[in-house]
Amino acid sequence: TDLAHIRNFSIVAHIDHGKSTLADRLIQETGTVKDRDMKEQLLDSMDIERERGITIKANTVRIDYTADNGEHYVLNLIDTPGHVDFAYEVSRSMRAVEGSLLVVDSTQGVEAQTLANVYQAIEADHEIVPVLNKIDLPASDCDRVAEQIEDVIGIDATDAIQVSAKTGQGIHATLESIVTHLPAPKGNLDAPLKAMLVDSWYDAYLGVIVLVRIMDGTLKRGMRVKFMSNNTLHHVDRVGVFRPEMEMVDSLGPGEIGFLTASIKQVRDTRVGDTITNDRNGTEVALDGFKPAQPVVFCGLFPVDSSEFEDLRDAIDKLALNDASFSFEMETSAALGFGFRCGFLGLLHLEVIRDRIEREYDIELITTAPSVVYHIFMRDGAMTELHNPADMPDMTLVDHLEEPRIKATILVPDEYLGDVLKLCQDRRGIQEDLTYAGTRAMVVYDLPLNEVVFDFYDRLKSVTKGYASFDYHMTGYREDNLVKMSILVNDEPVDALSMMVHRDRAEMRGRAMCEKLKDLIPRHMFKIPIQAAIGGKVIARETLSALRKDVTAKCYGGDATRKRKLLDKQKAGKKKMRQFGKVDIPQEAFISALKMD
Ligand code: GTP
């Protein structure tokens, strides 16, 4: 296809504003997929995505469209994830296209992720077409939302398209606007091949599939290509496009988006942002590489049943093949035995991986407290990264600690503002900005990531009854008075419960932990002290009183099967527990104990 007849775009939106529904409708309206093959949320391919209604992996579709001017166009849509954890994936797919549809729910207005995502689009120099969605709903208020887009984002919204992705109203106008308002890509057909590696994932039949955007030259089946970041050569087995299912083609030219396969075994062998060129006489200048996504949240994953360790290793290996941003290494814990220390892009990413291990591989897991990466500056001048509070060196050797900070943007209706400010203040936040967009307040806070990773988002949702929206990005590291708090159960330290806390908050956190654990740990035949300590100093203490409980006593020794059943039941209950010294701690204690109320 000649460049003038190609349009490449993405859709940016806050979660639930209708991005996937709109994409589906564009696909359907153009007959890309026959009506009878249409299923809800076509682009969200993974089950877990569909269940949770979130898009994780960027997806792509090529749409053929004959415009009102009679010309035939190829529209390439790259779907981008909508959640904060995957902001990095948004930024890289943005570089592969020239324009964006900015979808805003006309019953809601601009939200925190609308802002975060549209700023990425602006940074990538996109032409932006505002789309006001859900106009079929009675609460829709297009004038107000258009005004808000102009006020808050600062882009012209007079030509905003009014759409109902549900009924199909405005879809034709959207397609026309893509053709008339978004720029055609640029590129040189006669130059050597220069293609951007946009994304890659593992397919059980084809091996690694590499999503590419051709900048210059031609990508052909059968040619040999070079990945410039590591100078590896590959023979291109297949070239194709997504409609949205894969369709093979012989070649792709400048401006086009498609995929290649080249018998690549691991996603890890492909670097997002890499430049692909001819094996000989290739392009001299590579595209600006992107930085690889860095895991920011770490936690330990241990099998509840220690005999399942090898199965867990298998599951983690397989998941990592398809997810280069997920990192792991083996970990042994005195209390939990063998497991893995895993790194994630954020909490949602953590949850998705944990869910998949439990559901797809049927392994029950103990997840230890999520922790951020601290920088430890030793007295001798060395700096090390701390991924696990259990590895904290002796404090006498440590000069100081630095923790990661974030800049959080929260949009919230006026009446909940007070609660939001209090929450941020409680989490050691520093207010940077407070402005209004209509009746909604926009607050910007500088917060320690550590205070956000665990349950900040849940708390925010509950204090605002779900009306707040939230987005954040990392800003850097800052020194603070941080200490490691250990938890001792029956005088034994439980390493999986140890955590890094701010010194001023240690007593409060320690007390809350001990109280929680007292409720979560079942009573035993003996008294159990539960303590929180910093170094050797106990800062909080609870005692779980003893209990004499003979479950079989009621059976009078007569009915053997009933007695057995009871014992079996007790054993099954035990399976979800782990023994620490003489004490059984239930699995949920590891998560629940860390939630702050
Ligand atoms: P993520 O993929 O999770 O980021 O969300 P999304 O932005 O893709 O939103 P999605 O398309 O899943 O839509 C969210 C909800 O809004 C779904 O329940 C849709 O059925 C509904 N929805 C989308 N568009 C419309 C619309 O025009 N009118 C109405 N009434 N509902 C809509």
Side-chain angles (χ1 to χ4, degrees):
T1 319
D2 70 304
L3 288 162
H5 290 88
I6 299 176
R7 297 291 182 274
N8 298 320
F9 69 104
S10 58
I11 305 180
V12 296
H14 185 73
I15 199 153
D16 277 346
H17 281 200
K19 178 164 58 86
S20 303
T21 312
L22 177 66
D24 286 354
R25 213 52 70 224
L26 295 175
I27 291 167
Q28 196 181 28
E29 169 96 5
T30 51
T32 305
V33 176
K34 297 274 173 305
D35 278 352
R36 69 183 149 78
D37 293 334
M38 200 68 201
K39 50 183 187 232
E40 286 281 300
Q41 309 260 303
L42 211 74
L43 287 177
D44 289 354
S45 57
M46 277 161 62
D47 274 357
I48 194 157
E49 289 183 25
R50 195 163 305 161
E51 246 170 57
R52 295 174 161 232
I54 46 167
T55 315
I56 293 161
K57 210 74 194 151
N59 286 290
T60 302
V61 62
R62 174 175 170 136
I63 297 169
D64 288 312
Y65 177 60
T66 306
D68 289 353
N69 64 9
E71 306 269 327
H72 184 81
Y73 291 88
V74 169
L75 315 179
N76 290 304
L77 161 62
I78 292 190
D79 187 28
T80 54
H83 190 275
V84 286
D85 282 6
F86 303 96
Y88 175 71
E89 296 208 353
V90 180
S91 90
R92 69 203 196 189
S93 37
M94 292 276 182
R95 309 265 163 170
V97 297
E98 288 79 21
S100 283
L101 301 183
L102 166 66
V103 176
V104 182
D105 184 334
S106 62
T107 69
Q108 304 284 328
V110 172
E111 297 284 356
Q113 284 162 37
T114 316
L115 288 172
N117 291 334
V118 79
Y119 289 145
Q120 301 236 33
I122 291 169
E123 212 163 285
D125 270 340
H126 283 190
E127 205 57 51
I128 295 166
V129 172
V131 173
L132 307 174
N133 191 30
K134 306 199 187 182
I135 57 165
D136 58 293
L137 294 174
S140 165
D141 186 348
C142 289
D143 292 341
R144 181 182 67 84
V145 174
E147 201 182 301
Q148 201 193 20
I149 291 174
E150 299 196 339
D151 286 353
V152 181
I153 305 173
I155 58 174
D156 184 6
T158 35
D159 288 337
I161 309 165
Q162 305 193 355
V163 168
S164 166
K166 188 175 178 187
T167 66
Q169 196 183 342
I171 298 298
H172 180 76
T174 307
L175 288 162
E176 282 298 311
S177 188
I178 290 168
V179 165
T180 51
H181 284 99
L182 300 186
K186 296 192 180 77
N188 182 354
L189 181 63
D190 302 319
L193 174 66
K194 185 188 250 186
M196 180 198 296
L197 198 161
V198 181
D199 198 2
S200 62
W201 59 93
Y202 185 77
D203 178 279
Y205 299 103
L206 302 177
V208 174
I209 296 176
V210 180
L211 181 66
V212 290
R213 156 70 198 268
I214 313 298
M215 299 304 187
D216 294 319
T218 312
L219 174 72
K220 282 198 192 71
R221 179 160 49 97
M223 75 193 277
R224 281 166 67 82
V225 292
K226 181 165 75 178
F227 286 14
M228 290 178 78
S229 68
N230 51 9
N231 276 315
T232 51
L233 300 180
H234 298 277
H235 177 269
V236 177
D237 304 324
R238 294 183 191 81
V239 174
V241 295
F242 295 100
R243 283 184 182 281
E245 75 289 352
M246 287 191 266
E247 182 182 303
M248 304 307 155
V249 298
D250 289 330
S251 68
L252 291 171
E256 295 198 281
I257 294 174
F259 69 89
L260 67 84
T261 67
S263 308
I264 301 167
K265 297 275 180 310
Q266 297 195 26
V267 170
R268 284 170 188 274
D269 298 333
T270 57
R271 264 200 62 191
V272 167
D274 202 353
T275 308
I276 302 171
T277 188
N278 308 76
D279 65 333
R280 266 180 249 159
N281 301 320
T283 181
E284 299 284 314
V285 204
L287 300 156
D288 290 344
F290 305 157
K291 55 176 184 356
Q294 288 294 341
V296 294
V297 179
F298 284 77
C299 81
L301 298 181
F302 294 84
V304 170
D305 176 352
S306 49
S307 71
E308 288 188 327
F309 172 73
E310 286 302 328
D311 299 332
L312 177 59
R313 182 204 295 279
D314 233 41
I316 284 181
D317 273 340
K318 288 212 182 82
L319 290 172
L321 279 182
N322 206 9
D323 187 347
S325 47
F326 161 53
S327 75
F328 65 97
E329 60 184 42
M330 224 183 102
E331 179 183 9
T332 41
S333 144
L336 297 173
F338 292 109
F340 293 91
R341 190 85 194 157
C342 302
F344 305 92
L345 297 176
L347 275 191
L348 177 79
H349 190 209
L350 185 164
E351 259 180 61
V352 167
I353 298 264
R354 190 188 57 204
D355 262 34
R356 292 189 64 185
I357 294 174
E358 295 204 320
R359 289 203 288 184
E360 291 171 31
Y361 297 89
D362 200 22
I363 302 169
E364 264 193 276
L365 293 174
I366 291 176
T367 316
T368 65
S371 166
V372 300
V373 178
Y374 294 92
H375 287 170
I376 307 179
F377 293 83
M378 308 298 285
R379 287 205 193 283
D380 65 8
M383 193 277 273
T384 50
E385 285 191 353
L386 181 74
H387 290 181
N388 186 350
D391 299 334
M392 182 69 195
D394 192 298
M395 267 322 265
T396 57
L397 301 173
V398 175
D399 185 67
H400 68 279
L401 284 161
E402 286 183 359
E403 67 178 339
R405 308 278 304 194
I406 60 163
K407 186 170 171 154
T409 304
I410 300 166
L411 271 102
V412 62
D414 220 6
E415 65 259 45
Y416 302 112
L417 179 63
D419 295 315
V420 170
L421 297 181
K422 177 167 186 314
L423 176 67
C424 292
Q425 226 60 51
D426 284 351
R427 300 297 173 99
R428 298 195 278 134
I430 300 165
Q431 189 178 316
E432 292 198 333
D433 200 12
L434 173 58
T435 48
Y436 279 87
T439 58
R440 293 164 66 81
M442 184 167 102
V443 264
V444 179
Y445 259 91
D446 171 25
L447 280 155
L449 179 62
N450 156 18
E451 301 285 341
V452 170
V453 289
F454 201 74
D455 61 348
F456 182 84
Y457 195 41
D458 287 345
R459 296 291 307 148
L460 181 69
K461 274 193 299 199
S462 90
V463 301
T464 63
K465 305 207 164 52
Y467 284 112
S469 68
F470 168 66
D471 194 81
Y472 71 86
H473 63 266
M474 294 258 292
T475 47
Y477 275 77
R478 197 155 78 214
E479 182 181 347
D480 219 324
N481 189 3
L482 301 157
V483 291
K484 173 182 163 181
M485 182 171 79
S486 313
I487 300 294
L488 295 96
V489 177
N490 206 25
D491 299 320
E492 306 245 5
V494 180
D495 54 359
L497 287 173
S498 61
M499 62 192 301
M500 303 298 298
V501 290
H502 192 272
R503 185 63 191 84
D504 293 347
R505 295 162 52 80
E507 272 82 13
M508 194 262 287
R509 295 293 300 257
R511 261 198 313 277
M513 271 291 255
C514 292
E515 274 166 27
K516 275 262 172 70
L517 284 170
K518 188 180 164 196
D519 290 339
L520 289 163
I521 299 174
R523 292 208 223 165
H524 285 56
M525 303 295 218
F526 43 89
K527 218 163 61 180
I528 303 171
I530 301 168
Q531 297 160 305
I534 296 172
K537 187 172 166 248
V538 172
I539 55 167
R541 181 193 167 104
E542 291 284 335
T543 307
L544 185 59
S545 58
L547 173 84
R548 176 157 282 279
K549 183 180 172 206
D550 183 352
V551 286
T552 61
K554 283 198 222 96
C555 303
Y556 306 112
D559 187 344
T561 51
R562 189 152 161 242
K563 202 166 181 174
R564 160 105 53 68
K565 258 192 204 150
L566 262 171
L567 287 172
D568 281 351
K569 219 163 134 192
Q570 212 183 30
K571 222 158 83 198
K574 272 238 168 77
K575 249 196 79 190
K576 287 205 171 179
M577 310 251 200
R578 286 304 283 255
Q579 257 207 321
F580 295 86
K582 295 191 302 184
V583 180
D584 289 319
I585 302 183
Q587 185 193 353
E588 73 261 20
F590 293 90
I591 286 290
S592 313
L594 299 153
K595 293 212 168 144
M596 289 181 290
D597 290 322

